[in-house]
């Protein structure tokens, strides 16, 4: 759902055996292939929203009476434990330990990612997967505003117009109550998660980490997330049964593997491999389609997951608030991606 390693991952992580093949490809064909791979990445990210929502329903069925934090942790902890283990095997074959800079960046990114994932997933217990996907995208417009504030320069009328569109879109999506000036818990938590994801991206892009290897940094990040979410499970599990019960469910295991292999390892690998071959603005525009893809999946996948796991997760509907509110956020993000001047970020870093 968010880039790791920025637009300039270390060249050391690119296999030399690809050089001959790349020389025979035209720039146009490479660009087209990279675009398709990033679209596939976004598809994987969009898939994660209904998958996590289904895991939440399964956890409620498998752990009756469990608190929301335990339900949340059981939905995402196995994802990062398995991802960290897979990355550890891959890095062991490649050799070399993470450097001090990679450890520093990986731990920092991991802490931001834990905050973002925790509130995003917990918020999904109280709002739809589609709404969560659109609200999470708010970070895309917060980043240029943050850089503008740091540099004490106005980001320009178009960026402020994008902010206004986001505010209107968020209020429509979250069914903001203008009489009590309140959102629901799910909407507030998702917006809070977006701030954590913004911090994660800002840390990724810091110049002091430009020479870090993305694979090593990713391993450290996954390890931090695995450790902290396991700690959250241990702190909230009433007994040993709550720890092992989900692992006896074939549907839970299948969804967890899908979330780990496809939506986590697969998405990050594709992004780190192909994003450097596409201009940053175009990559940002491609990523803007993530909530749209998530909403499309949520129109039919919940019924399939329900039949598989014997849960009651109804298909979501394309309501007017979803189409209008979500559409405003997507338009705002496109405006930001097309018109944001990267020089603001460079001067503020």
């Amino acid at each position: 759902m968010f880039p790791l390693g920025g637009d300039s991952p270390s060249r050391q992580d690119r296999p030399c055996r690809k050089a001959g093949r790349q020389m025979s490809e035209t720039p146009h064909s490479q660009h087209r292939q990279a675009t398709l791979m990033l679209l596939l990445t976004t598809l994987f990210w969009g898939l994660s929203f209904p998958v996590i929502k289904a895991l939440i329903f399964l956890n409620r069925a498998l752990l009756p009476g469990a608190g929301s934090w335990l339900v949340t942790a059981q939905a995402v902890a196995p994802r990062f434990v398995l991802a960290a283990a897979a990355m550890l095997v891959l890095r062991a074959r490649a050799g070399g330990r993470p450097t001090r800079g990679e450890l520093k960046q990986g731990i920092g990114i991991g802490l931001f990612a834990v905050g973002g994932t925790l509130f995003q997933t917990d918020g999904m217990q109280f709002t739809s997967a589609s709404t969560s996907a659109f609200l999470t995208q708010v970070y895309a417009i917060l980043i240029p505003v943050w850089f503008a504030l740091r540099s004490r320069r106005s980001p320009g009328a178009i960026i402020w117009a994008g902010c206004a569109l986001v505010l209107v879109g968020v209020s429509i999506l979250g069914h903001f109550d203008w009489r009590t000036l309140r959102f629901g818990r799910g909407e507030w938590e998702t917006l809070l998660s977006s701030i954590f994801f913004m911090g994660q991206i800002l840390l990724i892009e810091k110049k002091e980490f430009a020479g870090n290897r993305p694979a090593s940094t990713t391993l450290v990040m996954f390890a931090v997330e695995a450790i902290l979410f396991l700690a959250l499970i241990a702190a909230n599990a009433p007994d040993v049964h709550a720890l092992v019960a989900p692992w006896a469910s074939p549907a839970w295991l299948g969804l967890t593997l899908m979330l780990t292999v496809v939506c986590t390892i697969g998405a990050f690998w594709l992004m780190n491999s192909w994003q450097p071959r596409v201009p940053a603005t175009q990559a940002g525009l491609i990523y803007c389609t993530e909530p749209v893809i998530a909403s499309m999946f949520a129109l039919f996948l919940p019924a399939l997951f329900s039949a598989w796991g014997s849960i009651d997760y109804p298909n979501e509907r394309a309501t007017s608030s979803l189409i209008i509110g979500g559409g405003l956020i997507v338009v705002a993000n496109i405006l930001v991606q097309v018109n944001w001047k990267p020089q603001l970020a460079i001067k503020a870093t």
Side-chain angles (χ1 to χ4, degrees):
M1 294 177 282
F2 18 80
L4 180 60
D7 296 324
S8 56
S10 172
R11 296 291 192 266
Q12 296 175 2
D13 280 357
R14 299 183 186 179
C16 295
R17 63 177 177 272
K18 293 183 179 180
R21 178 175 58 85
Q22 289 176 352
M23 290 178 63
S24 64
E25 294 178 348
T26 64
H28 177 73
S29 65
Q30 288 186 29
H31 181 272
R32 182 176 57 201
Q33 188 176 9
T35 300
L36 291 174
M37 291 299 103
L38 290 187
L39 284 171
L40 183 61
T41 301
T42 309
L43 185 144
F44 287 169
W45 283 337
L47 175 63
S48 69
F49 286 89
V51 170
I52 291 174
K53 184 79 172 181
L55 281 169
I56 288 171
F57 276 102
L58 266 174
N59 284 339
R60 286 177 177 171
L62 296 169
L63 304 169
S68 66
W69 295 119
L70 178 58
V71 170
T72 294
Q74 281 283 33
V76 294
R79 166 192 192 181
F80 296 115
V81 171
L82 295 174
M87 288 298 299
L88 186 61
V89 172
L90 293 175
R91 291 309 299 163
R93 291 181 177 180
R97 296 181 179 180
T99 64
R100 179 175 297 182
E102 290 164 354
L103 286 171
K104 181 180 178 181
Q105 186 187 27
I107 292 173
I109 292 173
L111 292 174
F112 276 116
V114 166
T117 305
L118 175 66
F119 289 112
Q120 182 191 56
T121 306
D122 193 71
M124 218 180 296
Q125 297 188 55
F126 308 98
T127 191
S128 68
S130 300
T131 297
S132 177
F134 280 108
L135 291 181
T136 301
Q137 286 285 309
V138 170
Y139 75 80
I141 203 167
L142 292 177
I143 292 174
V145 172
W146 166 262
F147 281 126
L149 292 174
R150 283 194 59 187
S151 62
R152 298 182 180 180
R153 295 175 56 187
S154 173
I158 292 180
I159 301 300
W160 288 124
C163 291
L165 289 175
V166 165
L167 289 176
V168 175
V170 166
S171 66
I172 294 173
L173 268 178
H175 302 286
F176 186 69
D177 191 331
W178 292 98
R179 292 175 297 178
T180 61
L181 301 179
R182 293 183 61 184
F183 270 131
R185 173 175 170 177
E187 287 74 28
W188 275 122
E189 285 191 313
T190 308
L191 290 173
L192 180 58
S193 77
S194 188
I195 296 176
F196 278 99
F197 290 142
M198 178 187 72
Q200 179 185 2
I201 293 172
L202 292 175
L203 185 58
I204 288 170
E205 297 293 341
K206 290 196 71 172
K207 288 184 178 180
E208 68 175 285
F209 302 127
N212 287 355
R213 296 166 297 176
S216 295
T217 305
T218 303
L219 169 60
V220 177
M221 181 193 76
F222 284 157
V224 169
E225 291 178 284
I227 291 170
L228 292 182
F229 279 120
L230 285 176
L232 184 61
I233 290 177
N236 287 273
D239 49 42
V240 177
H241 172 75
L243 299 176
V244 300
W247 296 89
S249 167
W252 186 91
L253 287 173
L255 288 171
T256 297
L257 286 175
M258 185 186 304
L259 185 62
T260 302
V261 176
V262 178
C263 306
T264 305
I265 298 175
F268 276 114
W269 179 79
L270 284 173
M271 183 194 63
N272 285 334
S273 299
W274 295 98
Q275 183 175 319
R277 308 180 193 186
V278 173
T281 300
Q282 185 179 357
L285 291 173
I286 293 172
Y287 296 151
C288 284
T289 64
E290 178 189 346
V292 178
I293 293 172
S295 298
M296 293 176 64
F297 277 133
L299 294 176
F300 66 92
L301 282 182
L304 298 177
F305 292 155
S306 294
W308 185 19
S310 300
I311 55 177
D312 184 19
Y313 176 18
N315 288 335
E316 297 180 10
R317 295 181 299 162
T319 62
S320 58
S321 61
L322 178 67
I323 294 172
I324 297 173
L328 288 174
I329 292 176
V330 170
V331 170
N333 284 336
I334 292 174
L335 285 175
V336 168
Q337 293 295 332
V338 171
N339 294 280
W340 180 38
K341 304 301 182 185
Q343 289 79 4
L344 282 176
I346 295 171
K347 293 180 180 179
T349 302

